[in-house]
Amino acid sequence: MPARIRIYGQEATFAQGCWECADETLQAMLQALADPRATSLDAELRHARYAAGRFGGQVAVGDTWEAAPLPDPEIRMEDFAPPGRPQAAGWLSFLRKRR
């Protein structure tokens, strides 16, 4: 049984590493996240929860819909900024005037 999600009022199903949706734009967004290794039922459900969480959607659980949990952030501020000096973060931080 494929995993079903609802995002922006549109329903989509994920089965065998591929998304199916009536809305082409949403299908393209979901297909960009698709995990082709998700072939088991548990892996499909985990991936569907992740995709629904990324876009603030819902996951079908039986006959009811429940809000998908938000996934952990992929990039954190601590990756770019020193812990004690968040003002030193940024792409061109080396150009800032030192005090």
Side-chain angles (χ1 to χ4, degrees):
M1 179 175 192
R4 295 181 318 150
I5 65 172
R6 184 182 291 163
I7 300 174
Y8 308 130
Q10 299 289 327
E11 286 191 29
T13 57
F14 182 70
Q16 300 297 317
C18 188
W19 284 100
E20 293 290 327
C21 182
D23 184 61
E24 294 174 0
T25 305
L26 180 58
Q27 183 173 353
M29 290 170 31
L30 291 171
Q31 199 60 35
L33 296 175
D35 184 5
R37 300 168 295 168
T39 55
S40 70
L41 182 59
D42 289 339
E44 287 178 357
L45 192 56
R46 272 196 317 267
H47 178 68
R49 283 187 180 279
Y50 170 76
R54 285 283 305 260
F55 298 113
Q58 300 175 332
V59 178
V61 178
D63 293 334
T64 62
W65 293 92
E66 70 178 33
L70 296 175
D72 294 331
E74 296 173 7
I75 299 174
R76 298 179 186 273
M77 191 63 178
E78 294 84 32
D79 297 339
F80 298 103
R85 297 181 34 211
Q87 70 276 11
W91 181 57
L92 297 174
S93 61
F94 62 89
L95 293 176
R96 290 196 181 114
K97 185 176 177 182
R98 307 253 189 246
R99 293 180 186 197

